[in-house]
Amino acid sequence: MKKIIAGLISIGAMAGNSFAASVNWDGSSSGNFNEGSNWSGESVPGAGDTAFIRNETNNPVFQNAQDRTFDRLSMGDGAGTLWRLDINGGSINTTSGPNNIGQQTAGTAVLNVQGGAFTALGEIVAGGGGGDTFINLSSGSLSVASANIGSNTGNATLNIIGDAALSATGGGFTFGSNGTLSFEFNATGVKTLSLGSLTAASGTLAVDLTGYTGTYTTITLADVTGGSGISSAFGTVNVTEGAYAGSFVTQDLGNDVITLTIVPESGCYALIGGLLALGSVMLRRRRA
């Protein structure tokens, strides 16, 4: 009886595995991720499947409303120029890894989270071909178990754009020599990236303040206090200051945070100096 039960379990496992597949985007009818006719086998990727976006037909691919869960996501191919997935609503959830974004890409691979949610329970590997890979978060939420960005050939960038995102979280993040963590400020700031750990000695940290119109303050760019902290800081830091000349990044390994201190515009210094001088003149006149 035990042998019969074991045999049935084995058959069931094989049957379950037989439904898992590599499902390839062909974009035969539109750019809609949720239309089965756009995928090989006429079926949207599901449990156990790997979704391959290696066909440029009807790019960008877009996800607007539904929730999709499958095994892994793979984007890019050495034979094309652009592969792009826009998550505008709903969610895309992967249950395993690695999720390869631009690993074989000679052109450009782009994953835009600009609404909805992208959740990866397995590792994200960004870059690996000779081209460029971008993961852009401007709205919605991004949650990644772990990420390796730019450790292979080709440039790979994680962009945190503005402060409209609901959440930006991750486990262990590694930025290689071709990897960049970029913060592009909107008028009021950017969303803080919360990580479990960070290794970035050979990576680049880039901050762009040209769209910022707020006051001088200190903003936390990355908070790594929730796990094992920052094991190595970014080796290269680039700050595009715009009107806020003198702003600077502090990589505080002791407290496991990376902050940006925004100093007043040069005009503000002149105004403050002028007001102080005026106050001094008025004080002297009163004394006289």
Side-chain angles (χ1 to χ4, degrees):
M1 185 66 179
K2 290 182 179 179
K3 291 182 178 180
I4 293 173
I5 293 173
L8 290 173
I9 293 173
S10 178
I11 292 171
M14 288 188 292
N17 290 336
S18 68
F19 290 105
S22 296
V23 184
N24 294 282
W25 173 263
D26 57 39
S28 59
S29 62
S30 72
N32 191 343
F33 188 99
N34 296 297
E35 290 187 11
S37 58
N38 288 320
W39 297 91
S40 60
E42 304 298 303
S43 179
V44 178
D49 293 335
T50 297
F52 285 97
I53 300 178
R54 293 181 174 176
N55 188 319
E56 295 179 279
T57 304
N58 273 321
N59 258 261
V61 182
F62 60 85
Q63 163 71 324
N64 285 346
Q66 298 188 37
D67 299 323
R68 294 293 178 182
T69 299
F70 48 91
D71 192 39
R72 299 189 302 120
L73 173 65
S74 183
M75 296 177 60
D77 196 321
T81 57
L82 175 65
W83 302 267
R84 182 175 135 194
L85 172 59
D86 293 345
I87 302 175
N88 305 313
S91 67
I92 287 182
N93 312 282
T94 65
T95 58
S96 184
N99 296 274
N100 297 314
I101 314 299
Q103 188 180 40
Q104 304 296 330
T105 304
T108 302
V110 182
L111 172 60
N112 287 323
V113 182
Q114 49 199 29
F118 178 74
T119 301
L121 298 182
E123 182 185 28
I124 291 283
V125 178
D132 297 306
T133 300
F134 299 93
I135 300 175
N136 302 319
L137 173 66
S138 58
S139 185
S141 62
L142 174 70
S143 178
V144 179
S146 62
N148 193 321
I149 298 174
S151 291
N152 300 309
T153 57
N155 298 316
T157 302
L158 171 61
N159 289 317
I160 309 298
I161 303 169
D163 62 356
L166 296 175
S167 64
T169 61
F173 269 54
T174 298
F175 288 86
S177 58
N178 292 313
T180 299
L181 173 59
S182 171
F183 293 90
E184 182 179 330
F185 277 57
N186 62 9
T188 56
V190 290
K191 185 71 176 179
T192 299
L193 178 61
S194 297
L195 302 175
S197 66
L198 175 64
T199 302
S202 56
T204 297
L205 175 64
V207 178
D208 187 347
L209 281 169
T210 55
Y212 183 70
T213 59
T215 185
Y216 60 93
T217 185
T218 297
I219 293 178
T220 300
L221 301 176
D223 184 341
V224 202
T225 59
S228 55
I230 305 174
S231 60
S232 61
F234 286 91
T236 302
V237 177
N238 299 319
V239 181
T240 304
E241 300 164 323
Y244 298 84
S247 298
F248 59 91
V249 168
T250 300
Q251 301 190 74
D252 186 347
L253 274 65
N255 292 308
D256 294 316
V257 293
I258 299 175
T259 61
L260 172 74
T261 300
I262 303 174
V263 303
E265 300 178 57
S266 56
C268 290
Y269 283 121
L271 177 61
I272 292 170
L275 290 173
L276 289 174
L278 178 61
S280 177
V281 169
M282 293 178 67
L283 181 59
R284 286 200 299 270
R285 286 180 177 176
R286 286 183 180 178
R287 288 177 176 175

